[in-house]
Amino acid sequence: MSSGRAPRRRSALLAATAMAGVLLLSACSGGTKAGGGGNTNFVTGSGGISTVAKGDRTDAPELDGTTLDGKDLSLADYRGKVVVLNFWGSWCGPCRAEAKHFEKVAKATEDQGVQFVGVNTRDPQKSLALSFEQDFGVTYPSIYDPTGKLLLRFPKGTLNPQAIPSTVVIDRDGKLAARSLAALDAEKLRKMIDPLVAEK
């Protein structure tokens, strides 16, 4: 009798371990994954930051919407600036960890032609996102995108956001230049931004 139960117990344990691994890998993704494919032309460095050489970049998609404080915002308004797009949710632990770093770098690079824009996603109530911004002192605008539709505007095979948090940097010409699919501190964020600020 016991010999029949042991394999069943072992199978259940293996299934539970596999499921735990899947949940760990998905982190705060909120179920929003987009695949790549084809010749992407981007290189992922040791810090997990993917970059594309200036001549190989693709156009960023049109992104617009209403901010958390009720104003209309379009990325097209920031053409000529380096735009740092941060996809976040108030429910996401890593987003909380990186928020203070983003605010610090946003203030430090404002005079260098850098514009930070948040995209708040998967928050069913705007009040949760507003509380997050207040708690962490976030002053740059965030588009409210509770269904995650803006994530889907990025073509597959580009530097598309695939998890929450994700950060995408757009160059002055409106092209996708760098991406991170993990939380960032101030140092890593500057490594993404500074080379684009220096571009002529």
Side-chain angles (χ1 to χ4, degrees), residues 3 12 16 18 41 47-48 74 108 111 114 119 130 135 175 182 187:
S3 62
N41 289 325
S74 172
D111 293 339
V114 178
V119 179
L130 287 167
D135 290 347
K175 295 183 181 293
E187 184 182 353

Side-chain angles (χ1 to χ4, degrees), residues 46-78:
S46 57
I49 295 171
S50 302
T51 57
V52 179
K54 191 169 185 180
D56 295 327
R57 296 173 189 161
T58 58
D59 290 335
E62 290 183 24
L63 296 180
D64 52 24
T66 305
T67 62
L68 288 169
D69 58 359
K71 296 174 182 171
D72 291 334
L73 186 150
S74 172
L75 280 195
D77 297 338
Y78 301 123

Side-chain angles (χ1 to χ4, degrees), residues 49-52 57 80-86 98-117 140 159 167-172 175-180 184-200:
I49 295 171
S50 302
T51 57
V52 179
R57 296 173 189 161
K81 292 191 173 192
V82 173
V83 178
V84 180
L85 269 180
N86 179 241
E98 72 178 5
K100 63 182 179 183
H101 299 291
F102 274 71
E103 179 62 22
K104 176 184 175 183
V105 176
K107 281 204 161 62
T109 58
E110 192 175 7
D111 293 339
Q112 297 175 284
V114 178
Q115 175 65 50
F116 278 64
V117 176
Y140 53 83
L159 294 177
T167 301
V168 176
V169 185
I170 300 167
D171 69 15
R172 290 191 179 93
K175 295 183 181 293
L176 300 171
R179 177 191 67 185
S180 172
L184 296 167
D185 59 19
E187 184 182 353
K188 288 180 180 176
L189 194 50
R190 290 301 296 252
K191 282 182 181 176
M192 287 179 78
I193 298 169
D194 289 348
L196 298 169
V197 170
E199 285 181 357
K200 299 299 179 193

Side-chain angles (χ1 to χ4, degrees), residues 5-57:
R5 286 182 189 156
R8 262 189 251 133
R9 245 187 254 128
R10 198 174 301 123
S11 295
L13 182 61
L14 286 172
T17 304
M19 181 55 72
V22 168
L23 291 172
L24 183 65
L25 286 173
S26 65
C28 277
S29 69
T32 308
K33 282 269 185 186
N39 184 11
T40 58
N41 289 325
F42 58 80
V43 177
T44 304
S46 57
I49 295 171
S50 302
T51 57
V52 179
K54 191 169 185 180
D56 295 327
R57 296 173 189 161

